[in-house]
Amino acid sequence: MPPFTGLVAYPITPLSNGGELDLASLARLVSSCVEAAVSGVAVLASSGAGVTFSAQERGAVVAAAVTAAGHTPVYAAVSAAGTREVLELARQAEAAGAAGLVLAPFSYLPLTEAEVRELFERLSDATELPLCFYNKPVQTHYDVTPGTLAFLAAQTRVAAVKDSMRRDNVPLRLAQLREAVGEDFSLGLSSDVHLISALPQVDAWHSGLAALLPHEFARLWAAAHSAASPEGSRERLLQLAREVAQTPHGIGALHAVARELGISTAMPRGPFGAAGAGDVARLRQALDAWPGQPAAGRPR
């Protein structure tokens, strides 16, 4: 399977009560994703709060995920505010066995088109791994254009894009990107609420909730690409995704969901906030919709 295609699950990075890495819990999350036959696991991106960890910690996360994943590809997010740090993280992830790298281009100020292109050129010179352009226009104030994506597809190791569905006219956007990059390029989408609502038939779904409820998401992905009816699990997942999206601190919400599912983790490191008591109650109520769900932290 080409890199960055299929259902790609983005796990949280579990923490101990002291705020240190809980690699054993991470390994259980990854193993559950493998058991559900997801196509790949991506660590240290937004769901994994990668920017809150040191380079040494990020290396430990990648190594633990690779070990737990076996033959399932592990992709590592290497986003950082400076090019030097991005390149160091990339080399470290490659040495740890990552199958590809995910990069959201950002810095203290919004980057220009030329700066984004140069960043990916530099990264392509530093690694042999395929790259996924993580497009986060709301957060980075940069929205990749079809022209720049075409340039990167032709001149660098960028082989995929993770684009947000939080935009107007997603079908037109996909058509423009496909015309720009050709068929041998993975067009992937993110935003769990939109994925579950629309069931887009694209090359990849990129999902944080999929790492916590991998069996449900795997069935939904399969149903979206067949004649099967996903309505039961779809409605349950949509309710939960909406509750997560409505929580002011999305990463905190994912950690709260993980705890409700029996996954050992503290809340994320600052500056990311924890889910409040009312938020946790709403998330718990949404999860009660399937008491027997074989989620990442529950026995099947």
Side-chain angles (χ1 to χ4, degrees), residues 54-172:
S54 68
Q56 181 178 5
E57 289 173 319
R58 290 168 80 157
V61 166
V62 176
V66 168
T67 298
H71 296 295
T72 299
V74 170
Y75 308 121
V78 294
S79 300
T83 299
R84 177 181 295 182
E85 291 78 14
V86 169
L87 302 186
E88 290 174 352
L89 291 169
R91 296 186 185 102
Q92 177 178 257
E94 184 171 13
L101 305 175
V102 179
L103 176 60
F106 77 94
S107 194
Y108 183 72
L109 296 174
L111 300 179
T112 67
E113 203 89 349
E115 289 168 336
V116 168
R117 291 187 181 197
E118 181 180 355
L119 174 60
F120 278 92
E121 288 177 311
R122 293 279 303 277
L123 179 55
S124 295
D125 289 339
T127 181
E128 298 291 325
L129 297 178
L131 310 179
C132 177
F133 192 115
Y134 187 0
N135 195 40
K136 295 165 59 82
V138 173
Q139 294 88 349
T140 65
H141 300 283
Y142 175 84
D143 195 7
V144 68
T145 64
T148 285
L149 205 59
F151 171 86
L152 295 175
Q155 302 297 327
T156 73
R157 298 185 185 278
V158 175
V161 65
K162 175 186 177 183
D163 207 20
S164 174
M165 292 188 73
R166 296 189 185 98
R167 65 169 71 243
D168 294 331
N169 206 336
V170 172
L172 176 60

